[in-house]
Amino acid sequence: MNDRVTPPMHALPDGEAEISLVLRLPWEDVARLGQEAGRLASQMQRPVTLDEAVSHRLRSTRSAAHAKPAGEQPAAVTTSASVSSLPPRPAADQARQAIERINGTA
């Protein structure tokens, strides 16, 4: 079941493209995206979905990579590398902690 399938891509009226993906992320990364969504919602003064937070993060990472001098190569994005170094915990604990971080009760 490792067949590579190209996800459908749709052209949007504003000149961007939309690609739907399914990602498997550690709970800590989901919590970080929730925090990013909270920061973005505060800036935009409206609710923000995790999809919007991911799109915003990708755009800001891409912009930062293009801002580097021509001689420098942008570093590979490894968001889970810093999180994955944590010792493994039961999935229920990870889920509870991620939800607490998103809700700001941690």
Side-chain angles (χ1 to χ4, degrees):
M1 286 267 135
N2 288 336
D3 296 336
R4 304 276 172 147
V5 177
T6 304
M9 189 179 315
H10 304 283
L12 301 176
D14 63 1
E16 294 186 341
E18 179 179 274
I19 303 172
S20 297
L21 302 170
V22 175
L23 301 173
R24 292 182 58 163
L25 300 171
W27 282 108
E28 288 86 358
D29 289 345
V30 175
R32 292 167 119 187
L33 287 173
Q35 291 172 342
E36 179 72 18
R39 283 190 292 273
L40 192 56
S42 178
Q43 283 180 340
M44 300 177 85
Q45 299 296 309
R46 65 172 179 81
V48 174
T49 65
L50 289 180
D51 289 348
E52 288 178 283
V54 170
S55 293
H56 181 264
R57 173 65 79 180
L58 288 172
R59 283 187 182 104
S60 64
T61 300
R62 183 183 67 204
S63 297
H66 288 293
K68 294 183 186 279
E72 293 183 31
Q73 292 292 329
V77 177
T78 55
T79 56
S80 62
S82 61
V83 175
S84 299
S85 63
L86 297 173
R89 294 173 305 174
D93 289 347
Q94 291 178 2
R96 185 172 71 287
Q97 185 178 18
I99 291 168
E100 287 172 353
R101 285 184 185 162
I102 290 169
N103 292 332
T105 58

